[in-house]
Amino acid sequence: MKEGFRQSMAWLHTWSGLLVGWVLFMVFACGTASYFRDEITMWMKPELHQASHAVVEQGVAVAQIQDLLQQRAAKSPRWFITLPTEREPTVRASWAPPPSKQEGKPRGRRRFETASIDPVTGQELSAARATRGGDFFYRMHFDMHYMPVLWARWIVGACAMFMLVAILSGIVTHKRIFKDFFTFRPNKGQRSWLDAHNATAVLALPYHLMITYTGLVTLMFMYLPQGLNAVYQERDAFYADLNGGPKAEVKASGVAAPLTPLAPLIAQASRHWDGAPVGRITVSLAGDSAATVTVSQRQEGGGLNSTVPTLTFDGVTGGLLTASGKPGAAVETRGVMVGLHIGRFANPLLRGLFFLSGLAGCAMVATGVLLWAVKERPKHLKANANGRIGFGLRLVDGLNLGGIAGLLIAMSVFFWANRLLPVEMAARQDMEIQWFFTAWGIAAVAALVFPARWMWRVQLTVAGLLFALVPVLNPLTGGAGLFASVAQGLWPVAGFDLVSLALGLTLLWAGKRLGTAKAPAKARVKINTEKEVAA
């Protein structure tokens, strides 16, 4: 290493972060939004804002949804029931269409039908608009929506590995890491970007390490399947052992038999877990003599382990078939890793801290890719007598603009599409997503054609206005307004409006700042970042 160890680590830090920075920004932004995906879904269904939010017994709620499913999904091979929580006050059910309607569709892209009911009145909330809600951002941050699932997860996994390398090499590079955290020099061009990058990186450094490593752990069996394949012939058998469910997928017997009432099974499961509430119910082959019911404990507000206890009952007699035992050390360690990543255990305060740390991660990635472009620009200007920058730097400028500001526009357009598209529109939830990608595509093309400072101002201002006006859009399109939601205690709705307003104002400030701040002189920005941070 001619330049020394730290300089080599600085080079590795730069390129491992730059090459995948735009994908990482999307993963951080959508993943951070996923911490409040239930609240986002609640906001995106304004018809539910007026639903009753009283607490009812779980047995009452599940009895009501069972009646609905037996009418609407009698031929479905599988039902999924999610019981109400403080974050999601309705009872939600989804069911797989009959196998004949799923032929030819890859696993992970199959469509499920859904329904929600008011747990107090038992009435179906049929007027609620079709939307993916916050689940879109959750799936987007590792499935990338339009891409084949396996390809998307391999790409995200590779980017996460690059991210881990960038973090570790950054720690080695910055020997003044604690001092740099308290240093910020505004209006200093490249120095300011470097200070911002250091501060946002160090501010939530434990979080950045945790979220990157645990993200890899969540898909470890896809990335490293050799050990699993050596022991198990069927993946379902492995996951049954891992999660405590049935050893193999139950096959229909062809003999009709009524499904046992689910409410007593819920009560039995709660007693088995010393009063812990039930979170999810899976019913397989309802109406068949081979039916089974798997009941899972609620994870929210519980421990770190994402592998929750389960009980499996005979769907006809109600007899207990299997119960998940105490997991071994390896299984529990993986469960804790996954639990840390998804954050379902967190109370509102801790979830808010996770959210802020995720925003710091977004800022860290954004300032990192922008810093490279700022550092390279003086070199290009010096090398070209005509004052023009090369194609490579121009491409990076465009990707920075489209990948950062363009994504923010797309996310805000997604919320506006949710409220402006007709409620009765066919394939409505798909159209919301099309608006998201269309807006992102337009912003990205504009960024690549005009990768200039004024385009940053335009796109940040557009994103800022769209986010800042969300609290105005909400009551005008049937939702509970900010003041009304605060008065009624609808904190998921009020919180969404407030966060959107804060984000919008921040983006508007950034756009205005770009319009008033003077670009630094060339002589003041000729700094070799790699040598500076390694000094």
Side-chain angles (χ1 to χ4, degrees):
M1 300 181 184
K2 293 183 179 181
E3 297 185 350
F5 180 67
R6 280 203 175 88
Q7 285 78 9
S8 299
M9 288 294 102
W11 178 90
L12 180 62
H13 177 75
T14 297
W15 289 103
S16 60
L18 177 67
L19 293 177
V20 297
W22 306 288
V23 177
L24 289 175
F25 184 82
M26 180 276 294
V27 171
F28 260 100
C30 294
T32 299
S34 300
Y35 284 127
F36 291 98
R37 61 173 170 160
D38 290 342
E39 288 78 2
I40 292 174
T41 302
M42 181 71 175
W43 186 92
M44 295 182 72
K45 292 185 176 183
E47 297 82 8
L48 303 186
H49 295 183
Q50 307 304 323
S52 173
H53 296 273
V55 178
V56 299
E57 292 184 2
Q58 290 193 323
V60 174
V62 76
Q64 294 168 342
I65 198 69
Q66 182 176 358
D67 292 339
L68 182 144
L69 287 170
Q70 287 178 327
Q71 298 174 13
R72 298 269 299 276
K75 296 182 180 180
S76 170
R78 188 163 296 175
W79 304 346
F80 301 96
I81 303 171
T82 303
L83 296 179
T85 65
E86 294 180 356
R87 299 175 62 194
E88 174 54 65
T90 64
V91 185
R92 292 178 294 161
S94 60
W95 60 93
S100 59
K101 296 184 179 181
Q102 297 286 8
E103 293 179 358
K105 295 183 179 180
R107 190 173 183 177
R109 296 296 187 203
R110 298 176 181 177
R111 294 298 177 85
F112 285 73
E113 298 181 49
T114 62
S116 299
I117 67 168
D118 187 320
V120 176
T121 64
Q123 297 297 314
E124 181 182 2
L125 300 168
S126 55
R129 63 195 65 197
T131 179
R132 290 286 299 278
D135 288 337
F136 167 69
F137 294 118
Y138 172 71
R139 303 295 300 191
M140 178 70 181
H141 98 282
F142 62 92
D143 276 356
M144 298 187 179
H145 191 68
Y146 286 123
M147 293 188 68
V149 171
L150 287 179
W151 288 20
R153 295 183 182 184
W154 272 105
I155 291 172
V156 171
C159 292
M161 185 58 71
F162 271 72
M163 176 73 177
L164 192 60
V165 170
I167 292 174
L168 295 176
S169 59
I171 294 172
V172 173
T173 300
H174 295 84
K175 69 176 184 179
R176 299 195 311 254
I177 190 168
F178 186 74
K179 181 180 178 181
D180 286 344
F181 173 67
F182 296 98
T183 303
F184 182 73
R185 292 157 285 192
N187 302 320
K188 297 293 183 181
Q190 186 177 325
R191 289 184 183 273
S192 299
W193 286 111
L194 178 59
D195 290 343
H197 182 64
N198 289 339
T200 53
V202 178
L203 175 67
L205 179 58
Y207 172 85
H208 299 328
L209 282 168
M210 179 276 292
I211 206 68
T212 305
Y213 180 73
T214 57
L216 290 167
V217 171
T218 59
L219 298 174
M220 60 184 288
F221 299 120
M222 188 186 80
Y223 301 140
L224 298 171
Q226 291 80 6
L228 187 155
N229 294 337
V231 178
Y232 291 91
Q233 295 181 351
E234 297 288 339
R235 286 290 180 98
D236 289 340
F238 166 72
Y239 286 109
D241 284 346
L242 181 67
N243 301 315
K247 294 296 181 183
E249 186 172 352
V250 180
K251 296 183 179 180
S253 66
V255 179
L259 181 67
T260 185
L262 299 180
L265 305 186
I266 301 304
Q268 181 179 344
S270 184
R271 289 194 302 270
H272 184 85
W273 298 322
D274 298 325
V278 171
R280 185 179 174 91
I281 306 167
T282 303
V283 180
S284 299
L285 303 175
D288 189 272
S289 61
T292 61
V293 179
T294 302
V295 180
S296 303
Q297 189 181 112
R298 182 191 297 174
Q299 184 184 0
E300 287 185 287
L304 291 175
N305 197 338
S306 65
T307 306
V308 295
T310 61
L311 298 177
T312 301
F313 298 91
D314 186 298
V316 177
T317 65
L320 180 63
L321 298 178
T322 62
S324 60
K326 181 176 176 56
V331 173
E332 191 157 10
T333 299
R334 176 190 175 272
V336 170
M337 293 286 187
V338 176
L340 281 170
H341 189 82
I342 60 180
R344 301 292 290 184
F345 66 91
N347 58 35
L349 177 60
L350 185 55
R351 193 178 302 115
L353 291 175
F354 270 41
F355 181 79
L356 292 176
S357 298
L359 292 180
C362 294
M364 174 188 65
V365 174
T367 54
V369 294
L370 289 169
L371 176 60
W372 184 89
V374 171
K375 178 178 72 71
E376 290 295 313
R377 183 164 284 102
K379 300 178 184 178
H380 282 251
L381 294 175
K382 185 178 180 180
N384 294 280
N386 57 10
R388 294 183 178 180
I389 62 175
F391 172 77
L393 180 56
R394 184 180 178 87
L395 176 63
V396 170
D397 283 339
L399 292 173
N400 286 346
L401 178 51
I404 298 172
L407 177 62
L408 296 173
I409 290 176
M411 294 178 76
S412 59
V413 165
F414 181 66
F415 300 131
W416 280 74
N418 169 260
R419 294 306 184 89
L420 298 181
L421 291 173
V423 176
E424 301 81 9
M425 174 182 285
R428 189 182 184 283
Q429 59 184 5
D430 294 331
M431 185 58 65
E432 289 179 358
I433 297 172
Q434 288 181 25
W435 275 43
F436 173 91
F437 284 104
T438 300
W440 197 2
I442 293 173
V445 170
L448 291 170
V449 175
F450 303 106
R453 189 184 185 92
W454 66 267
M455 182 56 73
W456 273 101
R457 295 199 302 268
V458 169
Q459 295 206 13
L460 289 177
T461 301
V462 169
L465 285 173
L466 290 174
F467 272 114
L469 291 176
V470 159
V472 179
L473 175 70
N474 184 19
L476 294 179
T477 51
L482 179 58
F483 297 108
S485 57
V486 170
Q488 298 173 21
L490 284 175
W491 294 112
V493 177
F496 184 93
D497 282 345
L498 289 172
V499 170
S500 296
L501 178 61
L503 181 58
L505 293 176
T506 301
L507 294 175
L508 288 172
W509 172 83
K512 183 179 179 181
R513 175 76 176 172
L514 282 174
T516 57
K518 295 182 179 179
K522 295 180 185 178
R524 296 171 59 190
V525 297
K526 294 180 180 179
I527 305 167
N528 189 322
T529 304
E530 296 175 1
K531 291 184 179 179
E532 181 189 13
V533 297

